[in-house]
Amino acid sequence: MHNILVPVKVVITGAAGQIAYSLLFHVCSGQIFGNDQVRFMQIPSMISQLEGVRMELEDCAFPLLNQLSITDNLEEAFKDADYAFLIGALPRKQFLRGMERKDLLKSNASIFRNQGLVIDNVAKKSIKILVVGNPANTNAYILNKSTPSIPSKNISALTRLDQNRATFQISKTLGVPNVVVWGNHSNTQFPDPKHALFDDGRQVWPILKAKFDEPNFIETVQNRGTDVIKARKLSSAMSAAKACADHMRDWCLGTKQGEIVSMAVVSNGNMYGIPKDIVFSVPVTCNNGEWKLVEGIELDFSSKKYFESTLNELKQEALDAEFVFQE
Ligand code: NAD
Ligand code: LMR
């Protein structure tokens, strides 16, 4: 018996860039949106290079790739889109020493403002959006402000890379846990080992704490992006693409029993004291295409300090972002 395949339309911006080059494989192989679905893709920018990527995708002969479109026209790209990975933006550069992700706001903010205005007009209202371009949380904040007709729950930013980094650091000591990352995708983020869980729901901290250097762990995860840039002379791409795939797959297909994941989402004003509209990484579970906040996690004194620091940074970035709306 044949399935009736429902095509979904996925937009990837910055598709000629390095993250997208790795992400395309995850998307087109069918591991994110379910094996019974077919996808259309539209890709703005860098048209001639993308023609080469198109040839490669064709040559992969992915059975689920229904149609591939390349465009630099935003209306055409986002028309009736079901899913969007917003990657297209400038990355930090290795030669700009001391540059932080928030320093990209000036160059990247207007990209998300302009895309938001178009998405609001032409995309499906059910579109699920993952903002990847940095500073990811605040670009998602701008996008949310620019898309009044899209539910804020459908807009998210990528902190799964930070979760995966934290998971690896702990896995070196113990098995693979689920680690909560709170706050900003920046060097103030708070990867929280005290609330990490094993897949079977057991707490990691009672076993971990005796032999664990918590400040060193937090700093390692906070600075991992910078360390990758120093070593690679380019920002992370393969791991970022894997994290994009993890984030969207869990959101669409659901998290496993007992699993919690970190997603930066738009606060409704009723989440761990995070002001409304701030895009903050929190622990969630996902089911039926919806994320749900994991509530009731108690932070101790030192954890609260980390939490406040990353929240203060995001509040400041939100103020800084207002310049986009004044233009
Ligand atoms: P890249 O320079 O390799 O690719 C970016 C692509 O975006 C380029 O092809 C460029 O032409 C395109 N682009 C620029 N402006 C655009 C626009 N307005 N519309 C469409 N495309 C546009 O960069 P990359 O390594 O792929 O990184 C992309 C972004 O993702 C950067 O901002 C980077 O800092 C960020 N990033 C975020 C995370 C995260 O965890 N949130 C992780 C890694 C990288
Ligand atoms: C990362 O965390 O690797 C990315 O956000 C790129 C960067 O600028 O660090």
Side-chain angles (χ1 to χ4, degrees), residues 160-191:
R160 184 60 173 266
L161 176 56
D162 307 297
Q163 176 186 326
N164 289 349
R165 286 168 172 164
T167 294
F168 172 72
Q169 293 302 322
I170 294 182
S171 310
K172 289 193 298 190
T173 316
L174 292 168
V176 178
N178 304 303
V179 187
V180 178
V181 172
W182 302 94
N184 201 2
H185 174 64
S186 77
N187 61 5
T188 66
Q189 68 178 269
F190 173 37

Side-chain angles (χ1 to χ4, degrees), residues 92 101 134 161-162 165 185 225-226 228-229 235-236:
R92 285 197 284 172
R101 297 177 186 94
N134 276 320
L161 176 56
D162 307 297
R165 286 168 172 164
H185 174 64
T226 305
V228 170
I229 294 175
S235 64
S236 60

Side-chain angles (χ1 to χ4, degrees), residues 264-281:
V265 298
V266 182
S267 174
N268 60 8
N270 201 13
M271 295 165 51
Y272 289 101
I274 303 155
K276 189 167 177 320
D277 293 338
I278 294 288
V279 177
F280 199 90
S281 180

Side-chain angles (χ1 to χ4, degrees), residues 14-17 43-53 70-72:
I43 308 171
S45 99
M46 301 284 283
I47 300 297
S48 62
Q49 277 197 23
L50 273 180
E51 286 302 337
V53 178
I70 295 175
T71 180
D72 57 6

Side-chain angles (χ1 to χ4, degrees), residues 37-311:
Q37 295 186 334
V38 185
R39 56 207 48 82
F40 294 83
M41 298 174 58
Q42 303 220 12
I43 308 171
S45 99
M46 301 284 283
I47 300 297
S48 62
Q49 277 197 23
L50 273 180
E51 286 302 337
V53 178
R54 178 211 290 274
M55 284 184 245
E56 282 206 70
L57 284 170
E58 287 170 356
D59 298 347
C60 288
F62 289 117
L64 293 172
L65 181 60
N66 178 281
Q67 185 182 321
L68 182 64
S69 322
I70 295 175
T71 180
D72 57 6
N73 178 292
L74 287 181
E75 270 82 12
E76 202 182 319
F78 288 110
K79 178 105 185 91
D80 298 327
D82 295 291
Y83 302 97
F85 295 89
L86 303 187
I87 303 173
L90 285 185
R92 285 197 284 172
K93 296 278 190 266
Q94 193 257 345
F95 53 84
L96 295 173
R97 273 176 203 284
M99 183 180 194
E100 294 302 339
R101 297 177 186 94
K102 62 186 167 204
D103 299 325
L104 292 166
L105 192 58
K106 262 207 155 49
S107 42
N108 288 341
S110 60
I111 295 176
F112 294 87
R113 170 72 172 161
N114 295 338
Q115 290 178 354
L117 295 174
V118 174
I119 289 172
D120 201 51
N121 273 334
V122 304
K124 287 192 183 151
K125 298 304 171 201
S126 57
I127 185 173
K128 284 185 168 45
I129 301 172
L130 171 58
V131 175
V132 180
N134 276 320
N137 298 52
T138 300
N139 288 334
Y141 169 92
I142 292 169
L143 192 87
N144 180 49
K145 294 275 181 187
S146 313
T147 49
S149 71
I150 307 287
S152 297
K153 272 208 103 177
N154 297 6
I155 294 170
S156 65
L158 187 71
T159 51
R160 184 60 173 266
L161 176 56
D162 307 297
Q163 176 186 326
N164 289 349
R165 286 168 172 164
T167 294
F168 172 72
Q169 293 302 322
I170 294 182
S171 310
K172 289 193 298 190
T173 316
L174 292 168
V176 178
N178 304 303
V179 187
V180 178
V181 172
W182 302 94
N184 201 2
H185 174 64
S186 77
N187 61 5
T188 66
Q189 68 178 269
F190 173 37
D192 177 0
K194 291 181 182 156
H195 296 96
L197 298 176
F198 289 112
D199 275 350
D200 59 9
R202 274 178 312 131
Q203 293 193 344
V204 173
W205 189 241
I207 309 167
L208 188 67
K209 66 179 174 193
K211 48 187 167 182
F212 196 63
D213 181 348
E214 190 193 1
N216 179 271
F217 160 78
I218 293 174
E219 256 179 58
T220 301
V221 179
Q222 287 176 330
N223 295 316
R224 191 69 158 185
T226 305
D227 290 343
V228 170
I229 294 175
K230 273 189 199 144
R232 218 172 85 84
K233 318 278 185 274
L234 282 171
S235 64
S236 60
M238 181 179 39
S239 56
K242 158 73 166 52
C244 292
D246 288 345
H247 175 118
M248 206 51 122
R249 183 201 58 235
D250 287 346
W251 193 2
C252 297
L253 302 184
T255 44
K256 295 192 273 300
Q257 180 71 27
E259 185 185 24
I260 50 173
V261 293
S262 304
M263 280 172 71
V265 298
V266 182
S267 174
N268 60 8
N270 201 13
M271 295 165 51
Y272 289 101
I274 303 155
K276 189 167 177 320
D277 293 338
I278 294 288
V279 177
F280 199 90
S281 180
V282 288
V284 299
T285 55
C286 302
N287 193 19
N288 285 332
E290 300 280 336
W291 60 263
K292 186 164 178 279
L293 180 69
V294 176
E295 293 184 274
I297 293 182
E298 299 279 347
L299 298 182
D300 64 15
F301 182 73
S302 77
S303 300
K304 272 191 191 143
K305 281 201 344 211
Y306 285 115
F307 186 101
E308 286 303 321
S309 153
T310 194
L311 180 56

